[in-house]
Amino acid sequence: MKQFLTLVVKLQPTSKQTQLLGDTAQAFADACNYINKTVKHNLTNRNSIQAVCYQDVKEQFGLTANHVVRACARVAANRLTAKQKGRKVKHFKPTSFDCDARTFRFVETGYLASISTTGKRAKIPMRVSNYHIGKLSGQNPTSAQVCQHKDGDWYVHIQLKSDAPKPIKSDNVIGVDFGRRDIAVTSTNKSWSGKEILRKRDKFNRVRASLQKKADATPRRRTAQGNAHQAATQGTRSTRRRCRQILKRLSGKERRYQAWLNHNISKAIIDEAKQSQSFVSIEDLTGIRERTNQKPRNKTERRRSNSWAFYQLRTFLEYKGIKEGIEVIAINPRYTSQTCHCCLHIGLRNNKSFKCSNKACGWIGDADLNGSLMIALVGQSVRLPGGSSLLACSIDSGLQKARAV
């Protein structure tokens, strides 16, 4: 099994190289827009698109042959994604272009990125960290994407391909319950509180709202008599400019903190699974935002719910699991938080506490721990030939294996 890892490395081009990258990105975007406009929209196969427009694109936009091929492939991929969502591809922005083995080459001596452009081929130094050096050492990447980020600088997204180890065959399982109060709770009674990320999110929201209000403040106007007229909101020109600068600096800080936190949580779970020779069972929460947003809630609660990064944590668990040979399966979460893991009867959940309604059992404890134990049981059950048949009550639970990685 092949695993793909993308490294984002900052480029340090000269002014001439920056111009070359910008011109290439513009030509690449123009070519994509031309292909999308002239080729029939029902064509989503890159070979079919390339057969129709290759020669015209190559003559009009000054791209190399390989860049033309990659432009056809990008249009095809975007059309396929849009088709699955019931939409159409509208426009391509000149902020990136794709490269293959002929248009991109990594030079380990000096850590240079050799990139083909519409002009001459440019060898651009990369700003590498120890992490990048460790990952790129001895590698010969064959594909990359050159992108201009929001900060205006150029980066190269290098795709590294490696052979993943075979998944560990084991009957041991670690169940993981996702939540907002506790980001993750495992069936081994380990948990990561969500209080700190909630506090930071609320703080960032207040700071952004305050800065945005000041940045959008209406300047003072003078009346016909020459007197200063105070607008509804105050603020000098320098104050508004400073607020916009701070907003730009804070952009992405909350997102980076959330990613750092999810990386730590997923690494700890996968490390524990590797040590205990277990696979990991998680909840498939696809579509939960659409369901919860239908409920009447205040603005603050809606913002907190929509900023819950459960899918990012799942993605991190999956790709780290592939790397370490740990299988990660997703199950249908229906009734897992309401079912007692001891007797498999429906119980009563009240915030963080759970009480089994079966008098013969009567288990009382942490609701998230009970949920993670139930997820572990269901995850172990769905691996059996007959599938899951755990619930003791007559409910069509639909608990099943969602996806195996």
Side-chain angles (χ1 to χ4, degrees):
M1 186 179 183
K2 296 291 184 181
Q3 184 181 30
F4 294 88
L5 175 67
T6 301
L7 287 181
V8 180
V9 189
K10 187 174 183 178
L11 296 174
Q12 295 178 313
T14 63
S15 57
K16 291 183 178 179
Q17 290 173 338
T18 301
Q19 184 64 40
L20 287 174
L21 294 177
D23 293 343
T24 306
Q26 183 65 58
F28 191 88
D30 292 341
C32 290
N33 288 319
Y34 174 82
I35 296 169
N36 188 50
K37 183 178 179 180
T38 57
V39 179
K40 293 181 180 179
H41 287 279
N42 59 347
L43 285 181
T44 57
N45 181 275
R46 67 176 185 178
N47 293 328
S48 301
I49 294 174
Q50 182 179 328
V52 174
C53 63
Y54 171 81
Q55 198 60 40
D56 293 339
V57 174
K58 192 172 185 303
E59 292 174 356
Q60 289 190 38
F61 299 99
L63 293 171
T64 63
N66 294 77
H67 278 148
V68 174
V69 172
R70 298 314 308 162
C72 295
R74 176 179 286 195
V75 173
N78 285 22
R79 282 185 174 184
L80 191 60
T81 303
K83 184 179 180 181
Q84 293 172 350
K85 296 181 179 181
R87 303 173 184 172
K88 288 186 178 180
V89 179
K90 295 181 179 179
H91 187 68
F92 292 87
K93 295 181 179 180
T95 55
S96 66
F97 59 92
D98 300 336
C99 301
D100 57 16
R102 296 190 177 218
T103 54
F104 169 80
R105 186 169 63 89
F106 166 63
V107 183
E108 188 168 357
T109 304
Y111 292 97
L112 305 175
S114 178
I115 302 170
S116 292
T117 66
T118 51
K120 63 180 182 179
R121 193 176 185 95
K123 287 188 177 181
I124 306 174
M126 298 189 300
R127 185 178 178 181
V128 294
S129 63
N130 291 332
Y131 173 79
H132 294 137
I133 293 173
K135 292 294 182 182
L136 290 171
S137 179
Q139 294 286 340
N140 184 27
T142 57
S143 61
Q145 187 179 74
V146 181
C147 304
Q148 186 180 31
H149 289 192
K150 289 183 178 180
D151 58 5
D153 295 327
W154 287 92
Y155 295 77
V156 58
H157 297 211
I158 305 174
Q159 284 88 44
L160 299 178
K161 182 168 62 175
S162 60
D163 293 320
K166 292 184 178 180
I168 299 171
K169 298 297 182 181
S170 174
D171 293 332
N172 298 329
V173 58
I174 295 178
V176 183
D177 181 73
F178 295 155
R180 288 169 49 199
R181 183 181 281 108
D182 287 330
I183 301 174
V185 178
T186 67
S187 55
T188 56
N189 202 16
K190 292 184 178 179
S191 63
W192 290 265
S193 175
K195 289 184 179 179
E196 182 63 19
I197 185 63
L198 177 63
R199 186 187 69 80
K200 282 186 175 291
R201 285 193 182 281
D202 289 344
K203 178 183 176 181
F204 276 116
N205 182 69
R206 291 193 301 270
V207 171
R208 282 196 303 266
S210 176
L211 290 172
Q212 194 66 54
K213 183 178 179 181
K214 294 177 181 178
D216 296 339
T218 305
R220 295 181 178 181
R221 299 189 301 271
R222 291 191 174 274
T223 61
Q225 289 76 18
N227 299 324
H229 173 69
Q230 186 68 43
T233 54
Q234 299 180 358
T236 63
R237 182 179 299 176
S238 60
T239 301
R240 296 192 299 274
R241 183 175 64 251
R242 179 61 177 162
C243 288
R244 288 192 292 269
Q245 291 173 350
I246 297 174
L247 282 170
K248 185 177 180 181
R249 190 175 73 241
L250 292 178
S251 175
K253 194 171 183 179
E254 178 184 345
R255 173 182 53 80
R256 290 191 296 273
Y257 176 78
Q258 178 69 78
W260 172 83
L261 186 62
N262 282 338
H263 270 301
N264 287 323
I265 295 173
S266 58
K267 186 177 185 301
I269 294 173
I270 295 299
D271 286 346
E272 183 183 2
K274 187 177 180 180
Q275 292 175 3
S276 60
Q277 296 289 292
S278 307
F279 69 93
V280 178
S281 177
I282 61 175
E283 301 171 283
D284 182 12
L285 298 178
T286 303
I288 189 172
R289 284 200 177 98
E290 288 74 7
R291 296 192 296 271
T292 55
N293 282 337
Q294 294 176 357
K295 300 178 182 179
R297 296 178 300 172
N298 59 43
K299 184 177 178 180
T300 301
E301 185 64 22
R302 183 181 292 270
R303 173 182 57 78
R304 290 174 176 174
S305 177
N306 289 334
S307 62
W308 179 24
F310 65 89
Y311 186 75
Q312 185 187 69
L313 179 56
R314 170 179 172 171
T315 304
F316 290 172
L317 281 169
E318 288 176 345
Y319 95 79
K320 292 180 193 296
I322 293 174
K323 181 182 176 182
E324 300 296 339
I326 303 298
E327 187 179 10
V328 179
I329 68 170
I331 66 162
N332 192 316
R334 191 180 300 176
Y335 297 107
T336 53
S337 63
Q338 303 174 38
T339 307
C340 176
H341 71 279
C342 294
C343 64
L344 306 182
H345 281 75
I346 298 296
L348 301 175
R349 174 169 181 166
N350 184 17
N351 292 327
K352 282 284 288 180
S353 63
F354 179 89
K355 181 179 181 181
C356 180
S357 58
N358 183 13
K359 294 182 179 180
C361 174
W363 186 87
I364 300 176
D366 184 83
D368 293 329
L369 176 61
N370 175 75
S372 64
L373 289 167
M374 192 63 205
I375 292 168
L377 286 174
V378 177
Q380 198 170 40
S381 176
V382 296
R383 291 166 62 91
L384 301 176
S388 174
S389 58
L390 287 176
L391 292 180
C393 55
S394 58
I395 295 178
D396 182 16
S397 66
L399 295 172
Q400 59 185 356
K401 186 174 180 180
R403 184 173 67 170
V405 179

